[in-house]
Amino acid sequence: MNKAISAKLSLNLISKRFNVADFGCASGPNTFVAVQNVIDAVEDKYRYETGNNLPDNFEFQVFFNDYNKNDFNTLFQGLSPERSYYSAGVPCSFFERVLPKKSFHIGMINYAFHFMSKIPKGITDRDSPLWNKDMHCTGFNEAVKKAYLDQYSVDIKNLLDARAEELIPGGLFLIFGSCLRDGVKMSETFKGVGMDCIGASFNDLAQQGLIEQDKVDSFNTPLYIAEEGELRQIIKENGKFTIEAFEDIIHPNGEFPLDPKSLVASSKAIFGAFLSAQFGVDVMRKAFELVEVKAREEFSRFKNAKPGMQYLIVLRKN
Ligand SMILES: C[S@@+](CC[C@H](N)C(=O)[O-])C[C@H]1O[C@@H](n2cnc3c(N)ncnc32)[C@H](O)[C@@H]1O
């Protein structure tokens, strides 16, 4: 990211103000680290190019975006008093315009690029050919995949159209997230195996009579983990941005720490809120106790699963 900011960002500092926007910021603290990293990289670039620090009257402003039901109180209470930027919350869906035209120099979206505006039509309808009874990935037949990809493509096009208007010319849009390598199915990855364990655990709870089977069968998430090629294609077809970098982020310890406790913690972080909304927090917690047992029993499946891909995409407005 630092290299991209150094090489690709056109700095126009006439206004002595630099705006950063984080889309899908949640309630912290990750967003604070992310925006600080961007600010540090901009300061480094200025220093490298001019031999000087940014002038004292130079100001950074950060826009924190998420849904209006996001916990912005917790977010603002977590802001460090020592921060070097002004801050504002901009509540709204990032699939729409969130800010006025030419509002920010660097925008980013971290681990929220796989969200969709809604679950595609038919997926939760028992009478539809698209009915997806299993959890998201396991029963992902071609028709279900196409319905998800079609909706995802529309949503991402709207997102990119909105950001293209809001971005200052010469600015960058950075996307950190997770995708599938081309040709790899979700069900073949750690996350897919994890979802299978979650689905099986909820089925167990239904069989014990703790929840209705119907509620389990109708559970789906508005998430689509795209293949790398699909992401490239959607961005290319949208035409508003050039892909300056599409980097595979390889962590020395692999994608996730491979032990059942960490796998459960990461699955809970990803799917916990959706599952609580459908089944309530107590059932969600109970199910994850079962997930941990299953993850221990079926650990070889996790070990043999194919890795997903963590990426950084750097986009520059055309
Ligand atoms: C997995 S969290 C990532 C949070 C943070 N960016 C991070 O990296 O830790 C995804 C966030 O995206 C937000 N989000 C999802 N869809 C959104 C939308 N349409 N508009 C705004 N925020 C959205 C969610 O509310 C959630 O806070």
Side-chain angles (χ1 to χ4, degrees):
M1 186 191 79
N2 287 15
K3 266 196 241 160
I5 289 176
S6 170
K8 307 290 179 191
L9 175 74
S10 307
L11 269 183
N12 172 359
L13 303 180
I14 295 166
S15 75
K16 301 237 176 342
R17 180 184 303 161
F18 194 95
N19 294 345
V20 178
D22 186 18
F23 295 89
C25 63
S27 48
N30 291 354
T31 183
F32 305 133
V33 179
V35 298
Q36 193 58 53
N37 284 343
V38 167
I39 289 172
D40 291 348
V42 172
E43 285 176 343
D44 283 351
K45 176 181 169 72
Y46 186 85
R47 220 173 283 123
Y48 181 75
E49 285 181 5
T50 66
N52 298 313
N53 288 332
L54 279 165
D56 286 344
N57 61 352
F58 192 86
E59 296 178 320
F60 284 97
Q61 180 173 31
V62 176
F63 300 116
F64 292 100
N65 159 262
D66 209 293
Y67 280 127
N68 56 9
K69 60 176 191 265
N70 182 53
D71 185 357
F72 281 100
N73 283 339
T74 298
L75 175 80
F76 293 140
Q77 281 161 29
L79 281 167
S80 160
E82 271 93 54
R83 71 190 180 281
S84 60
Y85 53 86
Y86 294 93
S87 49
V90 284
C92 183
S93 167
F94 53 47
F95 295 121
E96 301 163 34
R97 283 283 301 282
V98 171
L99 285 158
K101 286 183 183 169
K102 300 186 182 158
S103 292
F104 57 84
H105 301 77
I106 293 187
M108 63 183 159
I109 178 164
N110 299 321
Y111 289 87
F113 204 57
H114 52 294
F115 279 73
M116 296 159 59
S117 65
K118 58 182 176 204
I119 294 167
K121 219 165 158 241
I123 296 290
T124 53
D125 176 0
R126 202 174 267 278
D127 299 324
S128 159
L130 290 179
W131 185 48
N132 190 37
K133 177 171 172 284
D134 295 313
M135 281 188 65
H136 189 64
C137 63
T138 326
F140 227 48
N141 65 35
E142 276 309 305
V144 172
K145 180 178 162 67
K146 184 174 179 313
Y148 264 93
L149 178 56
D150 287 351
Q151 180 63 48
Y152 182 73
S153 305
V154 169
D155 287 336
I156 294 302
K157 181 184 173 301
N158 289 337
L159 186 154
L160 294 175
D161 283 349
R163 298 304 80 79
E165 298 247 32
E166 295 163 352
L167 198 55
I168 288 170
L172 299 176
F173 189 51
L174 311 172
I175 311 169
F176 280 95
S178 161
C179 68
L180 296 172
R181 289 175 197 282
D182 289 340
V184 172
K185 291 195 187 107
M186 177 77 176
S187 55
E188 297 171 326
T189 65
F190 303 123
K191 282 198 194 101
V193 175
M195 288 201 76
D196 278 354
C197 284
I198 297 171
S201 302
F202 277 95
N203 274 331
D204 287 356
L205 293 182
Q207 269 160 27
Q208 290 166 24
L210 277 169
I211 44 176
E212 292 159 37
Q213 185 67 47
D214 205 40
K215 264 193 155 176
V216 180
D217 293 347
S218 63
F219 179 78
N220 280 277
T221 51
L223 305 176
Y224 181 71
I225 309 289
E227 292 181 21
E228 177 183 349
E230 291 169 348
L231 288 175
R232 285 183 184 274
Q233 180 75 12
I234 295 169
I235 295 166
K236 206 169 141 211
E237 274 174 17
N238 170 257
K240 301 271 165 59
F241 292 92
T242 301
I243 300 177
E244 295 287 355
F246 200 129
E247 294 267 332
D248 195 344
I249 302 172
I250 312 249
H251 193 275
N253 293 336
E255 217 186 348
F256 286 117
L258 260 187
D259 69 85
K261 262 207 165 358
S262 308
L263 287 165
V264 167
S266 53
S267 316
K268 212 191 250 179
I270 298 168
F271 301 113
F274 292 114
L275 291 162
S276 299
Q278 174 92 342
F279 302 104
V281 179
D282 291 343
V283 171
M284 184 275 283
R285 292 213 174 109
K286 216 173 197 44
F288 272 100
E289 285 167 17
L290 295 180
V291 173
E292 191 170 334
V293 174
K294 285 189 197 302
R296 276 185 207 291
E297 285 168 2
E298 299 184 37
F299 201 54
S300 60
R301 273 187 74 200
F302 283 99
K303 272 206 191 132
N304 297 329
K306 295 184 182 168
M309 175 174 163
Q310 310 296 315
Y311 62 74
L312 163 64
I313 308 174
V314 178
L315 299 184
R316 199 180 151 91
K317 190 168 143 182
N318 289 334

